[in-house]
Structures are given as C-alpha cells and as structure tokens.
C-alpha cells in the first residue's frame, strides 16, 4: 500500500507542478504584471506555510547565522530569482507551458554542475561531462536560436527561464553547503516571505502596480491555484516524498511535469507541442541519466531488493 501511496502522491505532485506552468501563462495572458504576479503568489503561499510551520514545529523562528543564511539563500535564489526570471520569461508569447517546464528540467543537471564547483574534490568523468553537454544541448534545441537575429523568436525569454533553473540549482547547492539544522517547514515559510518581499521591491522598480491587475476569473483562478495548490500543497507533498523516496527518485518529477504542462497547456490555452520541445526534453533526460548513472543504478538495486 505504501508503494501505491507514494506513486499516487508523485503523480499528484507532477500534475500540480506541471500544470502550474499553464496557470502562470494564463495569469500573464490575462494581464497580471509578471514579477508582481510572482510576489503576490508567495505572499499568500508564505503566510500559509508559516501557519503550517507554527502548527507542526515547537520553534519555527530561525536562530543563529547559519539558519538565517539558509533563509537568505532560499528567499533570494530559490524563490525570488527563480520565480522572477520564470514569470518574466513565460510572459513572452513564444514560450509555451511545455517548453518552460522542460527548460526548468535543466535544474537537476545544473545542480550537479554547481556541486562540482563548490566541491572541487568531486571531478566529472567523461560520461558526466557528456551528460552535462547533452542537457545544455537540449536547452539550446528548446531555445531554437535564429543566428540571423538572436533576439527574435523568444530567445531572450527562454534564456531567462534557463537563468531561473540556474538560480534554483545554485540555491539548492548553497543551502546544502550551509547545512544548517533549520527545519524544512520553517525554511520554506521564511524563504517564501523573504522572496515575496524581494520581488515586491523588483516589481516596484519595474513600475508594476497592483492597480494594473485586472480582477478577472483567469487572474484570480491562476493566483489561487499557484498559491494554494502548486506552492503550499506542492511543497508539502514534495518534502514528504523526499523523506520516503530520496533525492534521486523525487528529482524525476522534473521529467514528468512537462507531460502535464503540455497537456494542460493544450487543454486550457490551445498550445501546440513542437518537435523541438520533445527533442529537447529527451536530450535533457539522457543528460540527467548520464550524470546520475551511479546513483540511479544504486536506487534501482534498492528497489529490486525491496
């Protein structure tokens, strides 16, 4: 029964996080300013997570330099930088929900690359280097650059989404490097609130205003979906599965999410999945498999033994 429970939660998480790309696109298409959209999303999600942290933890307030450093990295990179880049990138009409989800799927590969930088004793062998190059090639295929005009066809927008994946990857590595004992629930709650504050500052600097937000069904529905389901509920499922499955298996959610992003984008927004999207997706999967070949083999051995 536990295996079926884990599988069901995994599919729910992939569906919620995958369709989140469609919800972002829908809210942006309805006129929500991108950085302000991301900031308000985490205003709501941060308050919900803080209430949850206060309920399950004896002391949800960070203590000491290391714990606050973890919150700073989480708020600055995992929340603010990642979502600001992602939302601005998805605002471009040339970027579909599926292509955005696949580009974000670079995050596990970039995480491995950043880990090698911060842990120089861990050297990439030939297969690892090949995997990294394949993953980056997949991103280039998805970006579909036009040599005659590199600023055309959503190239800049797609590079912003790659920057979002890089921000998330670097943030994940730095939080592990700091290695504080701050409980995950508290880290997520305070990071969300700090990230929301930082995005409000950026939004104000860009001249975005809450008065520019049209109060329509698409904006309200997309904001509610992203705040409650994709953020608050999604992270709770993620960390529950992280404890049960381990980092290798849960990382696979990055490669299932694009399927749900493509389906939801097609059903709700009439988006078409291109051959380039599928090719880039497959290259990123192969690259990840090469980088994590030993860990995946170990995980498969454990599953067979179980």
């Amino acid at each position: 029964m536990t295996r079926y429970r884990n599988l069901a939660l995994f599919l729910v998480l992939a569906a919620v996080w995958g369709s989140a790309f469609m919800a972002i696109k829908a809210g942006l298409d309805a006129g929500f300013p991108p950085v302000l959209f991301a900031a308000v999303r985490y205003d709501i999600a941060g308050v919900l997570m803080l209430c949850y942290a206060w309920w399950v933890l004896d002391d949800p307030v960070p203590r000491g330099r290391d714990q606050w450093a973890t919150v700073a990295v989480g708020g600055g990179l995992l929340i603010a930088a990642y979502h600001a880049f992602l939302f601005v990138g998805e605002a471009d009409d040339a970027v579909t929900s599926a292509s955005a989800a696949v580009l974000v799927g670079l995050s596990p590969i970039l995480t491995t690359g950043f880990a090698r930088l911060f842990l120089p004793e861990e050297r990439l062998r030939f297969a690892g280097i090949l995997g990294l190059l394949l993953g980056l090639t997949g991103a280039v295929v998805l970006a579909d650059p036009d040599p005659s005009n590199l600023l055309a066809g959503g190239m800049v927008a797609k590079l912003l989404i790659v920057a979002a994946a890089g921000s998330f990857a670097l943030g994940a590595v730095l939080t592990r490097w700091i290695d504080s004992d701050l409980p995950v629930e508290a880290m997520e709650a305070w990071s969300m609130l700090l990230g929301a504050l930082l995005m409000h500052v950026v939004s104000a600097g860009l001249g975005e205003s809450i008065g520019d937000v049209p109060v329509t069904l698409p904006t309200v529905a997309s904001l509610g979906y992203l705040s409650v389901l994709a953020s608050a509920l999604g992270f709770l499922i993620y960390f529950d599965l992280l404890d049960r499955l381990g980092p290798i298996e849960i990382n696979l959610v990055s490669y299932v999410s694009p399927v749900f992003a493509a389906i939801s984008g097609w059903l709700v927004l009439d988006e078409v999945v291109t051959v380039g999207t599928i090719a880039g997706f497959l290259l990123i999967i192969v690259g990840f498999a090469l980088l994590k070949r030993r860990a995946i083999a170990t995980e498969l051995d454990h599953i067979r033994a179980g």
Side-chain angles (χ1 to χ4, degrees):
M1 291 300 294
T2 300
R3 180 174 296 179
Y4 292 119
R5 172 192 179 277
N6 291 343
L7 176 60
L9 286 177
F10 181 91
L11 291 176
V12 169
L13 180 62
V16 169
W17 278 6
S19 56
F21 292 95
M22 174 276 299
I24 293 171
K25 194 74 175 176
L28 293 171
D29 289 347
F32 217 129
V35 181
L36 182 61
F37 190 9
V40 175
R41 168 187 178 178
Y42 278 99
D43 287 334
I44 299 170
V47 169
L48 292 174
M49 284 298 295
L50 187 59
C51 291
Y52 178 74
W54 224 285
W55 179 45
V56 299
L57 300 174
D58 294 330
D59 183 13
V61 179
R63 309 288 180 183
R65 183 178 61 184
D66 286 350
Q67 291 192 355
W68 279 112
T70 300
V71 170
V73 169
L77 291 173
L78 296 176
I79 302 299
Y82 170 69
H83 289 91
F85 284 134
L86 175 62
F87 276 57
V88 173
E90 276 213 66
D92 193 301
D93 291 337
V95 178
T96 65
S97 305
S99 62
V102 174
L103 284 170
V104 168
L106 276 171
S107 184
I109 292 177
L110 295 175
T111 298
T112 303
F114 282 126
R116 297 302 190 272
L117 290 176
F118 283 89
L119 301 171
E121 67 275 8
E122 296 186 20
R123 302 294 182 184
L124 280 176
R125 296 186 179 181
F126 175 76
I129 295 173
L130 179 60
L132 189 60
L133 291 176
L134 280 174
L136 295 177
T137 301
V140 172
V141 170
L142 275 163
D144 191 21
D146 180 359
S148 63
N149 184 1
L150 289 178
L151 298 182
M155 177 68 177
V156 172
K158 292 170 185 175
L159 289 177
L160 285 174
I161 297 175
V162 172
S167 299
F168 195 91
L170 179 59
V173 170
L174 289 179
T175 53
R176 289 200 297 269
W177 179 66
I178 295 169
D179 194 25
S180 73
D181 57 354
L182 181 64
V184 166
E185 297 88 351
M187 187 273 284
E188 285 298 330
W190 291 104
S191 294
M192 286 178 178
L193 292 173
L194 174 60
L197 176 61
L198 293 174
M199 286 188 286
H200 275 296
V201 173
V202 173
S203 175
L206 293 174
E208 297 178 348
S209 170
I210 195 69
D212 298 331
V213 179
V215 183
T216 62
L217 179 60
T219 56
V220 173
S222 59
L223 181 61
Y225 186 87
L226 291 169
S227 302
V228 178
L229 294 179
S231 299
L233 177 62
F235 275 111
L236 290 178
I237 294 175
Y238 174 81
F239 287 112
D240 175 69
L241 290 177
L242 182 62
D243 288 337
R244 294 172 178 272
L245 302 179
I248 300 302
E249 285 191 61
I250 195 59
N251 257 340
L252 295 177
V253 76
S254 297
Y255 303 107
V256 180
S257 294
V259 176
F260 290 96
I263 293 172
S264 60
W266 172 62
L267 289 174
V268 179
L269 304 176
D270 294 325
E271 294 178 339
V272 177
V273 179
T274 67
V275 173
T277 300
I278 297 172
F281 176 52
L282 293 175
L283 284 170
I284 291 173
I285 288 179
V286 174
F288 176 76
L290 284 173
L291 277 165
K292 292 293 185 181
R293 61 196 182 283
R294 291 190 180 88
I296 292 172
T298 301
E299 193 70 28
L300 290 174
D301 287 341
H302 289 163
I303 293 173
R304 293 190 194 99

